[in-house]
Amino acid sequence: MSAPVSPGLRSGSLPLLVALMTLLAGLSLAGLAGVQTLAESWSGAARNATTIEIPSDTPQFADRTHTLVQTLNKTPDVTAVRELSIKEVQTLLAPWLGQVSDSAGLPGLSLPAVLIVAHTGTPDLGTIVHDVLPEAVVEEDRRWGERLNGLGSSLIACAWLAVSLIAAIAVLSVGMTVRRSVMAQRKSVEIVHFLGAGDLTISSRIAGRAALLSLAGGLVGLLLLSPVITMLAQKLTPFSHGAPPTASSSNTWDVLIATWWSTLHVLPRMLLEELGALPLIAACLGWLTAQTVVLVWLRRLP
Amino acid sequence: MIRLLNVSMMPPGVGQPVLRNLTLSVPQGEFRWLLGPSGAGKSSLLRLLTLETRPSAGQMDLLGVSVSHASRATLRNLRRRIGFVPQDYRLIGEWTVFDNVALPLRLRGASERDTRREAFAVLEWLDVAHLADKRPGTLSGGEQQRTAIARALIGRPELLLADEPTNALEDAQARRLLATFQELIEMGTTVIVATHNEALVREAPAASIILQDGTIANTDSQNGISTRRVERS
């Protein structure tokens, strides 16, 4: 242990405080990652799909629908054309028409044909469809994708706001804790000041201790966060692309770690890096806050 | 060298100054008793001289530095050249006696080896070396006072200030302390000792600064410095 030239920080509550803040920040970041993943998934799906509705009263309904399907299948960038079955159309319209058990539809009401066209790029499907079947209604899902994107962006902004608020509360809490500690050791701090200790000598010792306690708190917070993160990873598995890594060892411990890691593998790499950095960020915030609080406090002394 | 010119001190929130128009000078390497009744301003003057506060008016030069306009860094370096024995000892309770005594040398950046050697030398001289690992709270008043004296003496300060430094000491220890002050003076240290102990003053007659109601009281002073010598009884 280094020789003391200034009082240190006395605060048993700081690590607990930082642990809770780390937990909250981690949850917000995880929520943010989840929202981002979902938003990307939704907008990706919506961006590459178009819905075409052919009214049932269209002359030569069946033949012209068939012609349209063939035309679309030949169109470059169109990857798939699927006509919904009567049951699927009924399910689609159920919120407006109610459940119908008859496969032919409601009496006196014939159902339209609905085509779902999957494509890459942005082919001008509206023109192609209307050339063949002017009565058809083309619903570009891209617009929904844009709305979903907007919703996703709002949620992401909210999540970032939450993270920023947590950081601000953490800074305030650490600041108040450090100030309380300095006030409790006021006499000792004054003694070393009047013996010729520099402001930075005093503040650095307190800030160093604050950084260590914050780091410890951050690590505890991360530990508390790990079950939540594992659960989130399991929830996000359906949205994951690519195979997770598998264990190559027969050792039980290795297999357990590999299984856990394969679960985490579905999480965005950025999230894992951000979570890993949380204790370090906590330590930096603790150090900076303590330095500032002590230096400001010392300015009162001549 | 200490030089005060029309110095006044008015603590915040106090309606009137506790020191008024003090003018005095003490050459380097001289000894002064600081005398006066309770409330005369002795502690306030010591607070000024230990740089715990700045004068609210007037000019104060300490060890060749103009304190009134000095920067924080200058004041910090100046404090390292001053030793102070406070009446209430002001020891850091969480630290050992050794760490308390070693602090001034550590602040000056001395090596740990030199710090250890000098700290133990002064602790042994004051008969408290065996308490080096104890916390101040476990010591008697006399032992705490000797620890505070050791902290003030370590590193041979250029200015030594003491507020009632013998009130918890036995007579023999007090005499020994006076002898040490004499040695420091011979090495060029300026020493100012505030005391109520008339017997001690009689034992070591020297020029005095006598305060009364925040001003220099004696009329036979030159440049505000008392030239009165306390006669041996």
Side-chain angles (χ1 to χ4, degrees), chain B residues 23-26 30-36 42 45 191-195 197-198 200-202 204-211 216-231:
Chain B
T23 295
L24 63 87
S25 73
V26 181
E30 291 212 359
F31 182 92
R32 293 287 184 278
W33 290 114
L34 179 56
L35 306 173
K42 299 192 298 293
L45 180 56
V191 180
I192 297 180
V193 178
T195 187
N197 188 337
E198 290 180 12
L200 193 71
V201 176
R202 279 198 297 273
S208 304
I209 302 164
I210 303 175
L211 290 178
I216 303 284
N218 60 313
T219 53
D220 58 342
S221 61
Q222 293 173 352
N223 297 325
I225 306 165
S226 169
T227 54
R228 190 183 72 140
R229 296 240 171 211
V230 180
E231 299 300 326

Side-chain angles (χ1 to χ4, degrees), chain A residues 224-261:
Chain A
L224 294 175
L225 194 64
S226 56
V228 184
I229 292 301
T230 307
M231 204 170 70
L232 176 81
Q234 285 163 350
K235 295 280 180 200
L236 283 178
T237 303
F239 300 95
S240 159
H241 307 290
T246 52
S248 56
S249 166
S250 58
N251 182 303
T252 315
W253 187 242
D254 287 350
V255 170
L256 270 175
I257 290 174
T259 308
W260 179 69
W261 179 244

Side-chain angles (χ1 to χ4, degrees), chain A residues 3-8 10 185 187-189 191-199 201 205 295 298-302, chain B residues 50-54 72 75-77 79-80 82 84 88 90-95 99-100 103-104 106-107 112 151:
Chain A
V5 287
S6 173
R10 275 192 303 192
Q185 300 185 89
K187 278 183 81 174
S188 300
V189 173
I191 289 169
V192 295
H193 173 78
F194 291 125
L195 282 172
D199 290 356
T201 305
R205 189 166 166 90
L295 285 175
L298 284 172
R299 298 303 292 184
R300 296 173 172 198
L301 301 177
Chain B
T50 52
L51 305 174
E52 287 179 38
T53 184
R54 292 205 206 202
R72 284 180 78 82
L75 289 182
R76 180 195 66 209
N77 291 332
R79 286 185 181 109
R80 293 178 184 177
I82 299 170
F84 180 43
D88 55 359
R90 293 189 205 167
L91 300 171
I92 296 175
E94 295 81 12
W95 294 3
D99 284 331
N100 270 282
L103 180 60
R106 284 175 173 159
L107 287 175
E112 201 51 30
R151 185 182 60 191

Side-chain angles (χ1 to χ4, degrees), chain A residues 99-112:
Chain A
Q99 286 295 338
V100 182
S101 54
D102 183 1
S103 62
L106 286 167
L109 179 68
S110 51
L111 295 173

Side-chain angles (χ1 to χ4, degrees), chain B residues 37-153:
Chain B
S38 294
K42 299 192 298 293
S43 295
S44 297
L45 180 56
L46 285 177
R47 286 189 67 209
L48 266 185
L49 297 175
T50 52
L51 305 174
E52 287 179 38
T53 184
R54 292 205 206 202
S56 38
Q59 172 74 34
M60 182 166 104
D61 294 346
L62 217 56
L63 303 174
V65 176
S66 172
V67 171
S68 307
H69 306 103
S71 66
R72 284 180 78 82
T74 305
L75 289 182
R76 180 195 66 209
N77 291 332
L78 194 54
R79 286 185 181 109
R80 293 178 184 177
R81 297 161 66 191
I82 299 170
F84 180 43
V85 185
Q87 194 172 10
D88 55 359
Y89 319 135
R90 293 189 205 167
L91 300 171
I92 296 175
E94 295 81 12
W95 294 3
T96 62
V97 164
F98 172 79
D99 284 331
N100 270 282
V101 172
L103 180 60
L105 282 189
R106 284 175 173 159
L107 287 175
R108 288 186 212 170
S111 72
E112 201 51 30
R113 193 177 159 187
D114 289 348
T115 302
R116 220 176 156 71
R117 194 185 64 239
E118 288 207 36
F120 271 100
V122 72
L123 285 171
E124 275 167 19
W125 187 85
L126 286 158
D127 291 332
V128 280
H130 62 289
L131 304 172
D133 293 330
K134 302 267 188 199
R135 310 259 170 202
T138 64
L139 308 183
S140 69
E143 289 166 339
Q144 287 189 49
Q145 188 157 42
R146 279 181 280 162
T147 304
I149 293 168
R151 185 182 60 191
L153 294 180

